[in-house]
Amino acid sequence: MSRAAPRRSGRLSRWAFPPAVLLGYLVATLIVTFPLGFQIGRVIPGKEIDGWENVWNVWWAKEALFDLRTTPYFTRSLYHPEGVSLYFHALGLGAAPLSVPLQLVLDPPAAMLATLLLLTALAGFNAYWLVYYVVPNRLAAFAGGLIFAANPYQVYHLSFGQINLTAITWIPLFALCLLRALRERRPWLMGAAGVLLLLVSLSDWQYAFYCFIFAGCLALWEVGRAGDRRARARILAAGLGVAAVYAALVAPIAIDMIREFAANPFARRPAWQVLLRSLDGVTLLLPNPFHPLWGGLARPIYDRIYGPDIYSGITAVSYVAAALAIVALLRRWRVAGFWLAMFALYVALALGPQLHVNGASVAAPMPYRFYGALPFVSISRSPCVFLKFAFLMLAVPAALGLDVVMRSLAAGRGRGLALGAGALLTAAIGFEYLSAPVAAAPVDPAPSFYARLAATPAAGYGILDVPTAERDFPMYDQTAHGWPIVGGDLSRDNPHPLLDHLPPIAALDSDRYPLADRDIFAPTDLAAIGEAGLAAQRIRYVVVHEERLSDKERARVARSLARIFPGRAPIFAGEGLAVYEVRPPRQVALVALDERWFGPDKLPQGGEPYRWIGERAGAHVYAPGAATATLRFTAHNFARSYTLRVLVNGTPVGSHTIAAGFTEIQAPVALREGDNLVEFAIVEPPRSAADLGLGEDTRRVSVGISRLRIEPARP
């Protein structure tokens, strides 16, 4: 993999040539993604798949880093009122150096599309310098950058609006700085490689893992090539220097991520998703499925293997690029060997834990099984993304093969013919990669109500969007109005503390209602607790997106709204919205039970409803202001005596022994304004009827609660 001395090429000056190369990649990006570059501000790629979410990602990067000057890894703009961690959300912060400045002159949808295009063009530009370092032929290096940045898999992720997966920009620069750091005695290269690896990590963590693989293999290769022990020691020291810089930079983020990973099972990806998003071997032979001429030949095969619309892996390495790589292997194998071996490794990893060929499983040992067993790797679900690195590895031998062809022609028939053939082969690669026209959806104009919201400080209040099941379009709307929202569509299925258990939200979301008609507290109907429940969570507006509701859903939502806001008309109606303002009630009210209760069940005597608790369960109480009240309930035990502790907002307010029979309990409580959590905690371990041989019920229970109520303190 030795590097020959660079040759002088062309008449452009040393300073004029890099801008010309960048311009070339900008033009190539505009061609392969046509017409997106001419629709900035008018369309959103990916819209209802990932587009809305990534417009929010771009907006949030500027909001956190530039406006709020806070960590981007936690937000109170989503999952109102508690907020949510974003450590395992695909933020694509590696794009922030582009997306944040762009938002100083563009709105978020326009900035998002411009960022996607610039990320792709710069990826080609940066790959050019890596390839040129190994193959000092400018035209061949340009072809190598085209292979990396303009391939159909890159355009596919761009067309879905996926900022994190499109942000491959820093990968070739990291590879270049690492390669030079291992070969040259320049300490600054170690620092540069560490910083670039951090940018790769911020783009997408799986890219960082793929860089680790490249770094390890490259270091072993360079050590194997080293002539003596001193040279090997210097290479290892340089590699450790890069690792030390990166570790120091990434540690503040990684430590928190590791803690959350250990505590949050939703950070891990299930095995079936890994299998679904693995590359099928037959696609290695197929042409570009999005090509305007022959894409129709490949698409039916992709549709049959992966299903329509969403393809897990698009190889389309370019037949011309593959032929040039074979030329390099035959004529310059000492240089091409490492890169082709890495290409083969990344393709093998992209095939996933189970080999599939033309949709059928094939028994074969797959390297991904070893990779997938490594710590932290379970946060990734898409082996096929290894293809991004496979294209970079292919870029070098393909450029080397093009250099061989051009040298052969120049030696025999003159430099002009060599340049013409090189340009023709480069254009052929670009033509194979053509994916135009790339479809995108028009930008929806923001309703005028959002302009009113944007001019009004949220002051800690939020918005509930209906339907609540669709959590991505409210993120897009938030970039227009800026208020916190109850929803949010994250890359991980984080449980939402409100959507499943707060009665008014559940009633608006579906026919499922978390409280029974007769439950352990009364009244439980929406007319009594609906608005109080919303007010307890500091929800100021309910925004109904009528065009997103079916006729059946619209009728159900209308019934629920009539019960939550009896006799009230929306404060805004039009442009597809109906907006209701929440007016906080003036009385204390029980509004919801949390998810930790069993039941409800009914007592044999009189059918009184009750609910078992296991170790702990809670109820939400709304208070219009700081107040004192009396909590009353009836408790009975299961099979033995239990010590029941009552806590309000984490503060103990009483401890009671629950023995045989029914115990009437009352406790004075101090409530704060808004939502209050009353918890019932058991000291002794709960047991089940099955444990005691009393039946088949396996629920581990302790104390049953009934007739739960909250009464304002008398003056």
Side-chain angles (χ1 to χ4, degrees):
M1 206 168 63
S2 59
R3 178 177 184 259
R7 304 190 314 273
R8 298 185 62 183
S9 174
R11 297 182 179 180
L12 290 175
S13 71
R14 177 183 177 185
W15 301 108
F17 192 79
V21 173
L22 179 58
L23 179 62
Y25 284 114
L26 285 170
V27 172
T29 299
L30 293 176
I31 292 173
V32 297
T33 64
F34 182 82
L36 293 183
F38 304 94
Q39 297 177 321
I40 294 175
R42 294 187 285 125
V43 299
I44 299 176
K47 199 171 182 180
E48 297 193 31
I49 299 173
D50 287 316
W52 280 323
E53 176 187 321
N54 279 280
V55 171
W56 185 89
N57 289 342
V58 165
W59 171 82
W60 174 245
K62 175 180 176 293
E63 183 79 1
L65 299 173
F66 188 81
D67 297 332
L68 301 178
R69 298 181 183 179
T70 187
T71 174
Y73 288 110
F74 182 85
T75 181
R76 293 194 180 277
S77 294
L78 307 178
Y79 279 51
H80 174 81
E82 299 298 328
V84 67
S85 169
L86 299 176
Y87 276 117
F88 291 95
H89 175 61
L91 275 174
L93 285 177
L98 299 178
S99 67
V100 171
L102 283 172
Q103 288 180 83
L104 300 178
V105 294
L106 299 174
D107 63 15
M112 178 259 220
L113 178 51
T115 299
L116 290 169
L117 296 171
L118 284 174
L119 286 170
T120 301
L122 286 171
F125 181 68
N126 292 340
Y128 168 89
W129 296 109
L130 170 64
V131 177
Y132 186 72
Y133 182 80
V134 181
V135 187
N137 178 319
R138 287 175 170 170
L139 185 56
F142 187 88
L146 204 62
I147 291 169
F148 177 60
N151 65 78
Y153 199 35
Q154 171 70 2
V155 176
Y156 173 76
H157 286 139
L158 187 154
S159 70
F160 274 62
Q162 295 170 326
I163 285 281
N164 61 311
L165 295 178
T166 305
I168 58 175
T169 309
W170 314 113
I171 297 169
L173 277 187
F174 162 72
L176 174 60
C177 288
L178 177 66
L179 180 59
R180 292 186 61 187
L182 297 180
R183 293 182 175 183
E184 304 173 21
R185 299 177 181 271
R186 297 184 181 183
W188 70 267
L189 287 169
M190 293 186 288
V195 171
L196 288 163
L197 185 53
L198 176 67
L199 285 171
V200 172
S201 304
L202 296 178
S203 300
D204 196 286
W205 287 100
Q206 59 188 331
Y207 287 165
F209 299 156
Y210 304 169
C211 282
F212 298 160
I213 295 173
F214 174 79
C217 292
L218 180 63
L220 290 174
W221 176 266
E222 292 294 316
V223 166
R225 292 177 61 251
D228 54 46
R229 181 179 299 177
R230 180 175 296 180
R232 289 193 290 271
R234 187 192 61 77
I235 291 169
L236 291 175
L240 290 174
V242 173
V245 172
Y246 173 70
L249 293 173
V250 82
I253 302 171
I255 290 171
D256 286 340
M257 287 190 71
I258 292 169
R259 288 172 179 164
E260 185 169 319
F261 179 77
N264 182 3
F266 299 95
R268 298 166 176 80
R269 297 295 198 177
W272 68 266
Q273 290 190 357
V274 175
L275 287 172
L276 182 66
R277 289 170 170 81
S278 296
L279 180 69
D280 189 289
V282 77
T283 62
L284 294 167
L285 306 175
L286 297 178
N288 177 7
F290 307 120
H291 197 279
L293 295 183
W294 53 72
L297 299 175
R299 274 197 303 275
I301 303 175
Y302 274 91
D303 289 344
R304 176 171 50 79
I305 293 172
Y306 297 122
D309 302 324
I310 298 179
Y311 299 156
S312 294
I314 302 166
T315 315
V317 294
S318 160
Y319 298 122
V320 174
L324 291 172
I326 293 173
V327 170
L329 180 63
L330 296 175
R331 299 285 299 274
R332 300 283 298 279
W333 64 270
R334 292 182 181 276
V335 181
F338 170 80
W339 301 96
L340 285 172
M342 292 303 300
F343 170 76
L345 174 60
Y346 283 126
V347 169
L349 287 165
L351 292 168
Q354 174 66 59
L355 177 61
H356 289 85
V357 178
N358 200 24
S361 297
V362 178
M366 303 302 294
Y368 191 91
R369 290 186 179 272
F370 302 97
Y371 171 77
L374 296 174
F376 222 57
V377 168
S378 60
I379 67 171
S380 174
R381 66 176 181 179
S382 301
C384 55
V385 178
F386 274 107
L387 287 174
K388 293 297 187 80
F389 277 64
F391 280 110
L392 182 60
M393 299 302 107
L394 178 67
V396 174
L400 192 61
L402 182 57
D403 182 62
V404 169
V405 171
M406 292 178 65
R407 284 174 179 270
S408 299
L409 291 174
R413 302 190 179 184
R415 182 174 175 80
L417 181 61
L419 288 173
L424 183 63
L425 289 171
T426 301
I429 293 172
F431 184 70
E432 280 193 79
Y433 283 167
L434 185 63
S435 298
V438 178
V443 172
D444 295 323
S448 57
F449 177 73
Y450 290 163
R452 289 166 49 184
L453 280 183
T456 307
Y461 288 92
I463 292 172
L464 173 65
D465 292 275
V466 180
T468 63
E470 298 182 38
R471 303 184 187 180
D472 50 359
F473 75 85
M475 297 172 71
Y476 171 71
D477 289 348
Q478 187 181 67
T479 66
H481 59 65
W483 275 51
I485 60 174
V486 171
D489 187 20
L490 303 181
S491 303
R492 300 299 188 272
D493 297 324
N494 299 55
H496 199 294
L498 293 184
L499 295 184
D500 293 333
H501 305 290
L502 192 67
I505 296 181
L508 290 166
D509 181 50
S510 69
D511 292 325
R512 176 192 51 78
Y513 190 64
L515 295 174
D517 291 336
R518 295 186 64 211
D519 216 305
I520 63 173
F521 70 88
T524 59
D525 60 280
L526 280 177
I529 66 172
E531 200 160 13
L534 297 173
Q537 303 303 325
R538 298 185 66 82
I539 295 171
R540 176 55 57 86
Y541 299 106
V542 175
V543 179
V544 182
H545 300 259
E546 295 178 326
E547 76 282 2
R548 297 191 167 276
L549 298 169
S550 66
D551 291 341
K552 182 179 179 181
E553 290 171 330
R554 195 175 293 116
R556 187 200 69 242
V557 168
R559 290 193 300 270
S560 296
L561 290 169
R563 295 164 65 193
I564 297 171
F565 306 104
R568 302 238 299 273
I571 63 168
F572 178 89
E575 303 173 68
L577 301 183
V579 182
Y580 293 81
E581 184 176 10
V582 177
R583 300 172 186 171
R586 297 182 179 180
Q587 70 276 4
V588 173
L590 276 160
V591 295
L593 303 175
D594 68 16
E595 73 278 7
R596 294 173 289 181
W597 296 86
F598 294 103
D601 297 301
K602 291 184 179 181
L603 293 170
Q605 306 88 353
E608 182 79 22
Y610 73 96
R611 286 181 182 259
W612 290 115
I613 63 176
E615 295 180 350
R616 186 181 290 249
H620 291 271
V621 177
Y622 166 75
T628 57
T630 301
L631 179 71
R632 301 180 188 273
F633 60 94
T634 301
H636 64 280
N637 68 320
F638 173 71
R640 58 163 292 174
S641 296
Y642 287 94
T643 303
L644 173 66
R645 300 172 63 234
V646 180
L647 305 92
V648 177
N649 300 322
T651 301
V653 297
S655 180
H656 310 273
T657 299
I658 311 300
F662 293 85
T663 305
E664 299 287 340
I665 295 174
Q666 66 178 33
V669 295
L671 303 175
R672 64 193 180 196
E673 181 182 357
D675 185 44
N676 296 266
L677 180 61
V678 176
E679 290 186 286
F680 305 90
I682 302 300
V683 175
E684 297 80 10
R687 295 183 290 183
S688 71
D691 292 338
L692 301 175
L694 301 176
E696 298 180 355
D697 193 340
T698 58
R699 296 179 299 172
R700 303 184 69 83
V701 301
S702 55
V703 170
I705 303 291
S706 61
R707 302 183 65 191
L708 177 64
R709 53 206 184 276
I710 191 86
E711 299 174 355
R714 295 180 180 178

